[in-house]
Amino acid sequence: WRSRRDSEGAEGSSRSKTNQNMVDPSLGALDDYAFVGSCRACCGRLFQVPWSRLGHVTCPSCGSFGGGDGRHDAGVSVAGPLYVGPMHDLSVVRQMRGHSQMLGWDDERIAWSTKKPHGACSSLGELLERMEGEAHPLVGLGIFKVPDVTKTAGARTMPAIKRLLAALQDDGFVAERSHVDGTAFKTNASAEEVRSFVRMLEADA
């Protein structure tokens, strides 16, 4: 897919160069590419934007908008086309986990060039486990971060990520930790559903 837009200057004498976006079909199926919206009111929750909605995009969770005319309320932005296919090849990750276990590599420590971030993976086995979870076909786009959802939920205490994910999973949602950040996770629950679990866990504490 390719687009180019040229705009005339106010006096018609100057031409400004604008965006040019391309998708190379050889990189994967075209279904793996889409425009993506991001809603700040929903902790940066990502969602796919149909072509027909470009220019008048609203967040499917909270209704915030961000149109092509530059008007924004809570802050919905759109980018793309972007790759929205699987983050990892599940079969490959499972093979890697099998080889790692067979060779006794699961306990190999990950060397950090700087101080290890809180909650980050410590071993190869832990990293591959998180990558397998991220490859679940239902987890959807983007990630949530526990500090962000705690703040927007109005909660005073941040729940342990393991406890939050267990609560989501017990209620039937897919919820998996992400390898990109120690406080991040992927889920098919909406931002408001995640926030409600944060408030529930605080009330039960």
Side-chain angles (χ1 to χ4, degrees):
W1 182 86
R2 177 174 177 169
S3 72
R4 181 171 181 174
R5 184 183 63 205
D6 292 317
S7 58
E8 294 291 339
E11 300 178 358
S13 59
S14 63
R15 174 164 294 204
S16 61
K17 187 176 181 180
T18 59
N19 297 337
Q20 193 173 72
N21 301 311
M22 303 182 69
V23 168
D24 184 351
S26 66
L27 299 178
L30 288 179
D31 289 344
D32 287 339
Y33 295 89
F35 285 91
V36 176
S38 174
C39 179
R40 287 198 295 271
C42 292
C43 308
R45 182 63 162 172
L46 303 181
F47 56 93
Q48 289 193 35
V49 178
W51 293 76
S52 60
R53 297 293 300 171
L54 290 176
H56 41 91
V57 179
T58 57
C59 173
S61 295
C62 71
S64 298
F65 66 86
D69 55 3
R71 294 182 300 112
H72 301 275
D73 59 354
V76 172
S77 56
V78 180
L82 302 175
Y83 177 76
V84 295
M87 180 174 287
H88 313 294
D89 186 316
L90 183 57
S91 63
V92 172
V93 174
R94 285 177 173 168
Q95 289 178 39
M96 291 169 66
R97 288 198 71 185
H99 284 299
S100 176
Q101 292 165 0
M102 180 180 65
L103 296 171
W105 290 353
D106 271 4
D107 293 330
E108 289 290 322
R109 310 302 288 179
I110 294 176
W112 290 88
S113 58
T114 58
K115 182 179 178 181
K116 175 179 170 293
H118 174 71
C121 297
S122 299
S123 66
L124 177 59
E126 187 179 4
L127 173 62
L128 292 174
E129 181 181 5
R130 291 191 190 182
M131 290 175 64
E132 182 174 352
E134 288 175 320
H136 194 292
L138 297 180
V139 291
L141 294 174
I143 59 175
F144 286 112
K145 293 185 179 181
V146 179
D148 294 341
V149 293
T150 301
K151 180 179 179 180
T152 59
R156 295 183 179 181
T157 57
M158 188 171 68
I161 188 169
K162 290 183 178 180
R163 188 166 175 239
L164 177 57
L165 297 192
L168 287 163
Q169 292 165 353
D170 289 345
D171 209 57
F173 291 106
V174 176
E176 301 287 348
R177 294 192 69 166
S178 173
H179 80 283
V180 300
D181 187 289
T183 68
F185 62 96
K186 297 174 72 68
T187 180
N188 59 344
S190 69
E192 185 50 44
E193 287 167 331
V194 174
R195 285 192 286 254
S196 69
F197 275 94
V198 171
R199 291 189 286 264
M200 179 191 70
L201 292 175
E202 182 178 54
D204 291 344

